[in-house]
Amino acid sequence: MLKYNPMPTTQKNPDEQQSTEHSGRKLPDPNPVTKKRHHYEMVWQVYVPLTGGVLLVLFLMILTISGSNYAVRKGADVAMIWLITPALVISLIILAINAAAIYGIAQLIFMLPGYSRILLDYFVTAGKIVNKMGNRMVSPFFRVRTFNAALRQIGRSLRPGRE
């Protein structure tokens, strides 16, 4: 199990790879366990269904073409081309939008883990500061209660016959 060190350390070995943003500032590497799990999920949730869908469409295309008589279907094919063309244009626009979204998400996948780790470091540091300040604020009350408890105990020990 990997342990998380909230304080970033500088690396001495130049062979170790680190992510860098465009300004050249070094970002911490993403967690290797979650990175491996992400790649596994990517294969089974994206690549396998996408490949299966493409193969299914290709199979249906081949099945459609193989059973037709060319002489009878010539006019129907021309009409079908004119009917399919508007849907094809709209589909290409949607495809371009999806490709741009996929590219943007791919860029975010490479940048977000480093920034998330930096944000986590700040939250851990802030948590330590809040904890320390809380302890400082409560310590006078604990001192008073401890002093009162000590006085009560002294008083009990001075009373004869009570245990």
Side-chain angles (χ1 to χ4, degrees):
M1 179 175 195
L2 295 174
K3 291 189 177 183
Y4 175 72
N5 182 6
M7 295 299 160
T9 58
T10 57
Q11 293 180 346
K12 307 284 187 212
N13 188 356
D15 294 333
E16 292 180 356
Q17 292 184 350
Q18 276 193 331
S19 306
T20 57
E21 66 178 8
H22 296 293
S23 67
R25 187 173 142 208
K26 297 210 179 219
L27 298 174
D29 289 332
N31 187 346
V33 174
T34 56
K35 188 175 181 180
K36 184 177 180 181
R37 186 175 23 175
H38 167 72
H39 286 297
Y40 176 79
E41 290 174 354
M42 184 86 161
V43 167
W44 285 104
Q45 292 178 5
V46 176
Y47 296 130
V48 170
L50 184 65
T51 304
V54 168
L55 290 175
L56 179 67
V57 168
L58 287 175
F59 173 73
L60 291 175
M61 289 171 60
I62 292 171
L63 188 66
T64 304
I65 295 171
S66 65
S68 65
N69 184 356
Y70 183 74
V72 176
R73 304 259 324 164
K74 187 174 182 180
D77 289 342
V78 172
M80 190 61 86
I81 289 171
W82 285 107
L83 289 172
I84 292 175
T85 302
L88 180 65
V89 170
I90 293 171
S91 298
L92 287 176
I93 292 171
I94 293 172
L95 178 67
I97 291 170
N98 281 335
I102 289 170
Y103 177 76
I105 289 171
Q107 293 300 316
L108 281 176
I109 284 173
F110 289 113
M111 289 192 307
L112 281 181
Y115 287 115
S116 297
R117 187 165 177 185
I118 290 171
L119 185 64
L120 179 64
D121 291 340
Y122 284 123
F123 280 132
V124 167
T125 305
K128 287 181 180 180
I129 291 170
V130 168
N131 194 12
K132 186 186 279 186
M133 294 303 290
N135 288 341
R136 285 184 185 169
M137 290 171 60
V138 173
S139 66
F141 297 104
F142 282 141
R143 282 192 214 130
V144 169
R145 287 189 173 243
T146 304
F147 182 71
N148 286 340
L151 286 179
R152 274 189 253 124
Q153 185 62 33
I154 290 171
R156 282 188 205 128
S157 64
L158 292 178
R159 289 185 199 158
R162 291 199 175 183
E163 294 181 12

